[in-house]
Amino acid sequence: MRLRWWENIRWRLALGSVIVALLSASLLALTAIVVIGYYYNVDQQARISALASERAQSVGIVYEHNKSIQDGNGSANAQARLKKLLVGQQGLLFLSIREVSNSPAAQYNPGSDHLYLFCNEQGKLIYPQGFSRGNALTVIRSLLNVSGTARPGSDQSKLQTAINHALQGHGEGGVFGRQTPVDASMPFFVEPIYTNGHDGSPRTVIGAVIVTPLSNAIPGFVSTVGISVLVATPIIAILVAAVAIFYSRTITRPLAKLTAASRILASGDYDAQVSVDGPGELGELAHTFNDMAVQLKKDVDELRRQEIWRRELIMNITHDLATPLTAIAGLGEALVDGINQSHEDYEATGRIIVRETLRLRRLVQDLHVMAKVEAGALQPKLKPLRLAVLVDEILAALVTEFERQQVEPINAISYSFKSVQADPDMLTRIFANLCNNALNYTPAGGAVTIEARQHEDMAVISVTDTGGGIPPEALPRIFDRFYRADNARQSKTGGSGLGLAIVQAIVAVHGGTVWAENVPGAGARISFTLPLQQSTIHSATTHPLAQIQR
């Protein structure tokens, strides 16, 4: 399936990183602007408060001085000059404000970039001149050109409230317009003007001074920051995208290898491996994938082997059942037809029928045991057994077969040999299968020897014949089901092909091992191990232990 470009992890990671970078840069810039605006307004408010307090104090001092002269406490020249100045003026407070505002110190001090408005004790605007008919807000809007951003109703209310509080003796500040990082909001402060009360009279409020900046530097700064953010954000986005694309290759490249290997597996080639040596989760995923591929190959090989066994089972059962059934059917028909009339003929026919019936029974028993092995239902009932005694009983039961084959059975196990921990019926089945197997390959005049020795806490038991041995190419498969070293499938050497497989399964459930070897100067030897009495049963294995092989 072909992926569209926007479905590719590399591009999705790049686009996601760009979006995150843009959002982060924008949020950081907005946060910086808000913080700068906040602290700028705080600083402006503190500064205009100090300027208002200073200007109100200066006006109050000058007003007190002029009032003292007016009351006759000054020289005649000073009184005459004051009367001359007061002619046509609005009063002593206006004269004092004008003197303070026109002084060189007031014009060239740091506060000269601020607008000062003065009100009398009735709250009417008296300075600067030319705006006597308007209120303070109208003057501010006219001089500062803030009509586009100011809100007349709300700003008028805030300014009027601050003036009223100042005339009552409480200085108060505020802000004109909207307080946003972009809008040019203007701070202001209203400070009461007091008389000094040098003659012992209490201090009285004679007016108020309104201070606000002539300009606000924050809009320019904000625009500069905004332009910088607009320029820096695409650069950051491009850098982040490049880094994301480069970094995503460390993820997508191993994933591409995994995808290719998965397709190879899907095509039926189970030898696919991924060569990713990188650290972290991707490396671990690659190693896990390789382990999965190895295990899958093993499972598939096992399934194929099981399929081959199934086919062999069908073919061998068909062959092994057909031979005795054919013989029994033919002999039965002969008896019915009365072809053989003598007693000797009836006796010979009966023996053949019995032999073929026993052969069928052994085959059915072997199949039953193998079915239990496949189902994991082969559970031994362990008990202490004396090997020498058990072998004598088994050889006595098979003595007829040995005599018919003219082969000598030899029990070489000492009666003082330690007892083994095993199931007697299963152990009998082991010896019977091994003896029958040895008889099939031992010529007349030969011998089958059963012996045992101790190795640590295990008994090593061997059944050795004097036949021609096992072909070297057949040794690795001698315990496979239905495998025959003799391909001719003769009745003498063919058997069911399950005898040694059953031996292996029974030995395995007892915790032992079984193996086959050729003995120089003799024939084949089948050896297996069983735990001795009161010893620990080890985990089963199907291959000979190197330390107990000869």
Side-chain angles (χ1 to χ4, degrees):
M1 182 179 67
R2 186 174 182 86
L3 295 177
R4 300 179 179 88
W5 71 269
W6 62 83
E7 296 175 340
N8 190 288
I9 293 179
R10 182 183 304 175
W11 291 109
R12 292 175 68 180
L13 182 60
L15 290 176
S17 301
V18 169
I19 293 173
V20 171
L22 291 175
L23 292 177
S24 301
S26 301
L27 182 61
L28 182 62
L30 180 62
T31 303
I33 293 173
V34 170
V35 171
I36 292 172
Y38 171 78
Y39 281 104
Y40 177 83
N41 288 332
V42 171
D43 180 72
Q44 283 284 80
Q45 194 71 35
R47 184 175 182 181
I48 62 176
S49 174
L51 292 175
S53 177
E54 179 185 359
R55 187 59 57 92
Q57 186 177 6
S58 298
V59 170
I61 293 174
V62 172
Y63 176 86
E64 190 68 25
H65 174 72
N66 290 334
K67 184 172 178 55
S68 176
I69 295 175
Q70 187 182 34
D71 293 339
N73 296 327
S75 63
N77 292 332
Q79 292 178 6
R81 184 181 63 81
L82 181 61
K83 289 180 180 180
K84 183 179 178 180
L85 291 175
L86 288 176
V87 174
Q89 302 295 334
Q90 299 182 13
L92 190 61
L93 177 60
F94 177 82
L95 179 62
S96 302
I97 294 172
R98 193 182 65 175
E99 289 181 0
V100 171
S101 300
N102 293 333
S103 66
Q107 293 179 1
Y108 297 103
N109 65 8
S112 61
D113 57 347
H114 288 73
L115 173 65
Y116 294 89
L117 304 178
F118 294 89
C119 299
N120 59 17
E121 58 186 353
Q122 286 80 31
K124 294 182 180 181
L125 187 65
I126 61 174
Y127 190 89
Q129 292 177 313
F131 297 95
S132 57
R133 295 184 179 181
N135 54 39
L137 180 61
T138 303
V139 175
I140 293 172
R141 293 175 60 187
S142 300
L143 294 179
L144 303 184
N145 192 25
V146 296
S147 58
T149 58
R151 295 170 295 175
S154 176
D155 293 344
Q156 176 67 38
S157 176
K158 287 189 293 184
L159 182 60
Q160 189 61 50
T161 301
I163 293 174
N164 293 336
H165 288 172
L167 295 176
Q168 296 174 6
H170 307 289
E172 186 174 318
V175 176
F176 297 130
R178 291 169 290 178
Q179 298 184 37
T180 63
V182 177
D183 292 330
S185 58
M186 289 287 191
F188 69 89
F189 197 88
V190 183
E191 182 72 18
I193 302 175
Y194 293 99
T195 59
N196 290 331
H198 64 280
D199 55 355
S201 60
R203 298 178 62 188
T204 57
V205 177
I206 57 174
V209 56
I210 305 169
V211 182
T212 186
L214 288 172
S215 64
N216 198 337
I218 192 167
F221 176 80
V222 171
S223 62
T224 303
V225 172
I227 294 173
S228 301
V229 170
L230 290 177
V231 173
T233 299
I235 297 176
I236 294 174
I238 293 173
L239 293 176
V240 169
V243 172
I245 292 174
F246 176 78
Y247 178 74
S248 65
R249 291 171 61 87
T250 62
I251 299 176
T252 56
R253 188 174 292 177
L255 290 179
K257 293 181 178 180
L258 285 171
T259 302
S262 300
R263 289 173 179 166
I264 295 175
L265 280 178
S267 66
D269 184 0
Y270 300 103
D271 292 323
Q273 293 287 300
V274 181
S275 58
V276 177
D277 298 327
E281 292 82 355
L282 288 174
E284 183 179 356
L285 177 61
H287 291 302
T288 304
F289 179 88
N290 292 337
D291 294 341
M292 180 195 69
V294 171
Q295 185 61 42
L296 184 60
K297 179 176 175 56
K298 291 180 180 179
D299 293 342
V300 171
D301 291 343
E302 180 65 22
L303 288 175
R304 290 172 178 171
R305 187 163 52 251
Q306 292 287 348
E307 178 64 18
I308 294 174
W309 285 348
R310 185 186 66 82
R311 294 175 182 176
E312 291 180 351
L313 174 64
I314 295 174
M315 291 187 297
N316 284 279
I317 287 179
T318 302
H319 178 275
D320 293 335
L321 290 178
T323 301
L325 287 175
T326 301
I328 293 172
L331 293 173
E333 290 177 357
L335 290 176
V336 172
D337 294 339
I339 296 176
N340 299 319
Q341 299 294 332
S342 65
H343 176 74
E344 289 78 6
D345 292 338
Y346 278 114
E347 187 176 285
T349 301
R351 281 197 298 270
I352 295 174
I353 292 175
V354 170
R355 186 178 69 245
E356 296 300 327
T357 303
L358 292 176
R359 182 179 174 183
L360 282 175
R361 187 176 69 177
R362 285 196 302 271
L363 179 59
V364 172
Q365 289 175 346
D366 289 347
L367 292 174
H368 178 67
V369 172
M370 292 309 300
K372 293 178 69 175
V373 171
E374 291 292 335
L378 198 62
Q379 301 294 332
K381 298 179 181 178
L382 303 179
K383 60 190 307 185
L385 296 175
R386 302 296 298 272
L387 285 176
V389 176
L390 182 64
V391 170
D392 280 343
E393 295 175 355
I394 294 170
L395 294 179
L398 297 174
V399 66
T400 303
E401 291 292 328
F402 277 96
E403 290 178 353
R404 186 169 62 86
Q405 300 288 343
Q406 299 179 10
V407 175
E408 181 183 1
I410 300 174
N411 181 6
I413 301 176
S414 172
Y415 281 86
S416 63
F417 192 80
K418 293 183 178 180
S419 299
V420 296
Q421 198 79 5
D423 185 305
D425 295 333
M426 292 185 181
L427 190 55
T428 300
R429 187 63 176 273
I430 290 176
F431 283 115
N433 286 3
L434 292 179
C435 288
N436 286 327
N437 186 74
L439 280 172
N440 289 333
Y441 293 94
T442 303
V448 175
T449 304
I450 302 176
E451 55 190 348
R453 61 186 176 87
Q454 180 178 351
H455 180 82
E456 297 180 354
D457 58 348
M458 303 292 286
V460 183
I461 307 163
S462 303
V463 177
T464 309
D465 60 50
T466 56
I470 303 172
E473 66 274 8
L475 279 174
R477 297 193 58 194
I478 198 68
F479 294 100
D480 290 351
R481 306 170 197 180
F482 300 110
Y483 179 78
R484 292 175 174 85
D486 184 0
N487 294 325
R489 299 191 59 87
Q490 298 175 357
S491 60
K492 180 179 179 181
T493 60
S496 67
L498 293 174
L500 293 182
I502 291 174
V503 170
Q504 183 188 52
I506 294 176
V507 171
V509 298
H510 280 80
T513 58
V514 60
W515 66 96
E517 59 187 339
N518 289 319
V519 181
R525 173 181 291 162
I526 307 296
S527 302
F528 63 95
T529 60
L530 289 176
L532 294 170
Q533 186 179 2
Q534 297 180 351
S535 62
T536 303
I537 298 179
H538 301 284
S539 59
T541 178
T542 60
H543 300 284
L545 300 177
Q547 66 270 25
I548 62 177
Q549 287 184 345
R550 293 185 178 179

